Structure formats: C-alpha cells, structure tokens
Amino acid sequence: MKRLLSLLAATATLACALPASAQFAKPEDAIKYRKASFNVMGAHWARLAGMAQGRIPYDAKAAADNAAVLDVAHKLPWAAFGPDTQTGDTKAKPEIWKDAAKFKEAQDKMLAEVPKVVAAAKTGKAEDLKAAFTTAAPVCKNCHDNFRQ
Amino acid sequence: MKRLLSLLAATATLACALPASAQFAKPEDAIKYRKASFNVMGAHWARLAGMAQGRIPYDAKAAADNAAVLDVAHKLPWAAFGPDTQTGDTKAKPEIWKDAAKFKEAQDKMLAEVPKVVAAAKTGKAEDLKAAFTTAAPVCKNCHDNFRQ
C-alpha cells in the first residue's frame, strides 16, 4: 500500500503540472493505462458485437449494461498517447505520432460512431444495435489497420 | 482484424453459455480484464486522491470527470474472479477463493464506499471529497492487504 500511495502521489503531483494529455507520472504508466482502457472497451464491445452479429441471443439488459461501460471506456485511451509514449510495451505504430492529424481524424470518427452504438444498444431493439454496429465496425477496423502493429 | 474477430466471436459465444461471473473465453482473458479495469479505476482514483489529500489543487471539473469514470470502473473487476482464474499472471492471493465470503464482504464494502466518493467529488466542494476519501481509503487498503500479493 505504501508503494501504491507513493505512486498515486507521484501521479497526482504530475497531473497538476502537465496538460490533460499527459496526466501520467511516467510514459510506461500512460502506455499501461491506454492498453487497460482498450482492454475494457474491447471486452464490452465484443459482447455487443456478438449480439449485433447474431452469434449470441439478443438480451436488451445485457446490451444496455455493456453499452453503459463502452460509453465511458471509449473516451479514455486518447489522452494517453503523449509524445513520450511511442516506444515501450506497445503495439502503437509510429504513424500515430508521424501523422498526428490522421490519427486525430480516426479518433474523431470513432468518438462520433461509438455513441451511436451506445444509443442503439439502449433502445431494446436488436435491429437498432445491428445497424449501428454495422456502420461502426469498419471505423474500428480502419483505425486498427492504420495505427496498430 | 480476423484474429480479433474470432476472439470476439469466441468470447461472445461463451458469454451466452456462462454465468455473468465468467463471461470470458479463457481464464487469462478474465485476468487481463480485471487487471485492466483495476488499472483504469486506480488511475482515476489517484487523481481524486491527490485532490483529497491536498497534493494537487482542487479542481471541481476534474474531480467530477474522474468521478464519472470511477463510478463505472469500480464495478468491473469483480465478475472476472472466476474459479478458474486463480493462477497465471496475477497478484490475486489464494484467499480470494479460499475465503470467498470474506472477499465478497470486502467487495461489498468497496461497492458501498466508492459511490460516496463519486457523489462527494461531484458536489464541487473540496471538503466533501476529502471527507469521503478519508472514509473510503482504509477500505481499499484493507482489501489490498488481505487479497493482493
């Protein structure tokens, strides 16, 4: 707990001095955080994808519950792509930093599409989820193809 | 993307057949997910802790924003402590499964305290956050001491 507290203290102290895009004590903390938030996002996305693609039966409550997590999680990783986080335990391609405008565009598309999936997952209608998923999935794929090793 | 899609398919298929506590294709997926959700929870908790402890200046908007993430994240890890996830890349102590009732009690305490911190972080008053944090922090410490290596 002591180690955790000093880590928290260090993180918090830096958070004060740094811009919102760099609220991490060390670059590896940012990398861990963005991988963690992608993991959480991916797990809940996967459950919605299963329902949208008919591989698992549609369940309105499960869809809404997973959407609520996705709604928060999909916003998280982006602040953790600071300029000092290009190397290390990461699959992020150098293109993220070389072509920052293109990466920002991909982020913005994702940030525009996921809320539509979230909203569709909360209507209680399987066809709404399927339609929103079908539009959003290529946006995910495009970003993975371009920016992930 | 193909590999991701088959992983998602496998996850989703299993999600249908398994109880809510085991919606993961493989035990290592559950372990990764719980570590990921603890990472996200810890990062946002740390930012609130810094403000509560006066190490960084209180910022009402930042407090509310971090609280909104914490509100979702603190509920996530618990479904990923299935009986098949005791070993692997984890710091979870065997006591989690040996004394499941005690672990459940610790979870319940945490699930009762964190929403109070979330609510306090949204009032816009530093003293509210500090008071809720001071009550909640020992609950976190107790669980870490008893159940984490």
Side-chain angles (χ1 to χ4, degrees), chain B residues 34-46:
Chain B
R34 75 189 180 214
K35 290 170 77 171
S37 48
F38 276 126
N39 180 298
V40 170
M41 187 196 315
H44 294 276
W45 175 263

Side-chain angles (χ1 to χ4, degrees), chain A residues 1 3-5 7-16 20 23-24 29 32-37 39-40 42-47 49-51 53 55-57 62 66 68-69 72 76 91 133 137 140-141 144-145 148-149, chain B residues 1 3-5 7-16 20 23-24 29 32-37 39-40 42-47 49-51 53 55-57 62 66 68-69 72 76 91 133 137 140-141 144-145 148-149:
Chain A
M1 186 67 184
R3 202 182 47 181
L4 177 65
L5 281 179
L7 175 66
L8 299 193
T11 308
T13 306
L14 268 171
C16 166
Q23 293 187 328
F24 300 95
D29 293 342
K32 274 188 192 170
Y33 173 86
R34 73 189 182 214
K35 290 170 78 170
S37 48
N39 180 299
V40 170
H44 294 275
W45 176 263
R47 294 171 196 175
M51 288 189 242
Q53 296 178 321
R55 285 179 281 99
I56 57 173
N66 282 297
V69 181
V72 169
L76 302 180
K91 289 182 185 167
F133 173 83
C140 303
K141 182 181 181 319
H144 292 173
D145 288 349
R148 192 176 65 174
Q149 281 166 356
Chain B
M1 187 67 184
R3 203 182 49 186
L4 177 64
L5 281 180
L7 174 67
L8 301 190
T11 309
T13 308
L14 266 171
C16 167
Q23 291 189 331
F24 300 95
D29 293 342
K32 272 187 194 171
Y33 174 85
R34 75 189 180 214
K35 290 170 77 171
S37 48
N39 180 298
V40 170
H44 294 276
W45 175 263
R47 293 169 196 176
M51 288 187 242
Q53 296 177 321
R55 285 180 281 98
I56 56 173
N66 282 297
V69 181
V72 169
L76 302 180
K91 289 183 184 168
F133 173 83
C140 303
K141 182 181 182 319
H144 293 173
D145 288 350
R148 192 177 65 174
Q149 281 167 355

